[in-house]
Amino acid sequence: MPTDCIRYQNSGYFSSLIVDYLDQKSSLNSLYNRFPTIENFEAQITEKAANYNQENRKLLVTALQKQYQNSTISEATENNILALEQANTFTITTGHQLNLFSGPLYFLYKIISTINLASELKTKYPKSNFVPIYWMATEDHDFEEINYFNFKGKKFRWNKESTGPVGRLSTDGLDAVFEVFANELSSSTNAQKIKELFQKSYLEHSNLAEATRFLANELFGHYGLVILDADSAELKLTFIPYIKDELENQTSFKEVAATIEKLNDYTIQVNPREINLFYIENNLRERIIFESGTYKVNHTNLSFSKEDLFRLAETNPEKFSPNVMLRPLYQEVLLPNLCYIGGGGEIAYWLELQSFFNAAKVSFPMLLIRNSVVLTTEKQIKKADALQLSWADLFSKQKDLVNNKTKALSEINLDLSNLKMQLNKQFEELYSIANQTDNSFIGALKAQEIKQIKGIDHLEKRLLKAQKRNLRDVLNRIIHLQNELFPNQSLQERQNNFSEFYEENGELLIQTLIEKLQPLEQRFEIVQL
C-alpha cells in the first residue's frame, strides 16, 4: 500500500476557506500576516520582538511557577518556563478545551504539532528559544462539549451541572465515571497505566483545570510542554486596556464585521457580538451587554455604569472573560507568541481577526493547521494491500468508495457513458432533420431523448446493484476496513480517545507521533503503530 500522505486540500475534510488559505489564494492575503513556512519565521521573530511588551515576561513566569507549584515538573518544562524571562524566547501556542480525559485524539496532535514546531525552529534559528504552550480553555462554559470521551465505541459521560467557567468546576462525581471506565480496560500493564492516569488526574485534583494540567503534564512534560491557565487575576492585568476598549469602543465588532463582508464566498465560522466579553464568577459566565446607557450582565440583575465597570476592570480584571473573538488578542498580548496552531475551524475564525489586531496594534501570529493523523496497524495495511486500496480510496466517501471499487473489480464494463454519447449523436441528427422539416417535432424529440437517457441511467444503476451483490464479500471487507480507520465515516481523530491506542501501544504511541509528525508539511500523516 502506498505510504504517501493525503494533502489537506484533497482530503474532503476542510472547508473551502481553509483550502484556499492552504493554497495561498491571493484574495485571502489581507486576512493573515505571514504564511507558516520555516523561512517566514525570521521576519515574524523580528516583528514580535519589537512589538511585544517585555514587561509581561516576569509576570508570565511568576504566574506559571505559581500554577506549577503543586506539580512534578520536568527539567525541560522548568527550563522553558525560566527561558520565558529572556528577550530572545518566543512561544508556539495551541489551545484546547478541557475535554474529559483529553477527549478526541486530536488533543494529542495539537500539542505534538506545537512541540515539534518549537523544536524545528530551534534548529533553524539557534540564537532564539522556542517554548511550546498549551493554553487551557479554562474559561469556556460549554460543558456539554467536553463532559465525555469515547472508548472502543462506548461513550463515558460525566453527568454534572455546570454554569460557570469549566476550569473552576469541581471534579466531584468523576469517581463514578472512573469505576465504569476501569471495568472496560484489560489487565495489561498499559491498561493499568491508563487507570492510574485517570485516577491521579481526576480523583486527586479538586477542579478540572488542575486535573487537565496534570494529565497533559504527565503525557508531554518530558518534551518541555508549558501548560498555561490564563484565568488569572495577575495575568489579566496585561489585558486591562483592551477590556476597556472593548467596553467603550467595541473595536472588535467593527473590525471583524468589516472583514466578514469580504468573505461572502465562504461560510463564516464565528460572528462577533457588539461586546465580546463575559462577566465571570465561580458559577457564572454571562455576556456583558450595553442597553440604554448601562452595562448589564445577561440573565442576571447585575448592572454597572461605565465608571463602575471601568473601576472593576482596574481592580478585578479576573471578572472579565474574553469570548472566542477576543481570546486570541488576550493570548497574543500576554505571550511572546509567533504562531498559533489549531484545527480548520479555529484557523477559519482567526482569519477574521487580522484587521482587529492591526487596530489594537498587536502583532498577528502565523496560523498553522495542526497535524492530522490516521493511526493504523500493519494488519490493516496488509488488508488494504490485499483489497487493492489506496489511501485516496480510503479517504473517499463510503458510497463513492463502494461504487468505484465495484466498477474496478467487475469483469464487465459498468460505465454506459459511451452508450449515452452514441445516443446524443443520434439525437443530434434527429434535431437536424427536425429543424429542416418541422420545428414542432423538437419538443417531442427532447422528451424522447430525456426518456432514453433516463432509461440508460436506470439500467446502469441496476447493473451496479447486481454487481454489488456478486461482490458482496469483498465489498463488505472494504467497508469494514474503512469503518475501522474512519469510525462513523468520520475522521478517527474526532472520534477515538488516545486511551484506545495507548492500551495497545503504551508510551510508544506518543513517542512514535513525536518522531513522525511534521507540522509544516500540511498533510494527513499515516502513522503505523
Side-chain angles (χ1 to χ4, degrees), residues 13-14 104-106 150 344 370 490-496:
Y13 285 98
F14 287 89
L105 265 168
Y106 64 80
N150 299 316
R370 63 167 172 81
S490 179
L491 288 177
Q492 179 191 78
E493 63 186 32
R494 297 178 185 171
Q495 301 288 321
N496 300 70

Side-chain angles (χ1 to χ4, degrees), residues 70-72 169-175 178 195-215 218:
N70 295 321
S71 302
T72 301
L169 186 64
S170 167
T171 52
D172 291 346
L174 279 170
D175 52 343
F178 172 69
K195 291 178 187 178
E196 182 180 324
L197 185 58
F198 190 104
Q199 190 170 26
K200 287 186 174 181
S201 297
Y202 295 98
L203 307 189
E204 297 181 13
H205 291 89
S206 61
N207 64 45
L208 194 55
E210 292 175 357
T212 305
R213 180 186 292 108
F214 179 87
L215 174 64
E218 285 293 299

Side-chain angles (χ1 to χ4, degrees), residues 151-152 182-192 195 503:
F151 180 78
K152 296 184 178 179
N183 288 333
E184 295 293 326
L185 291 162
S186 69
S187 58
S188 69
T189 301
N190 291 335
Q192 295 306 310
K195 291 178 187 178
E503 185 180 34

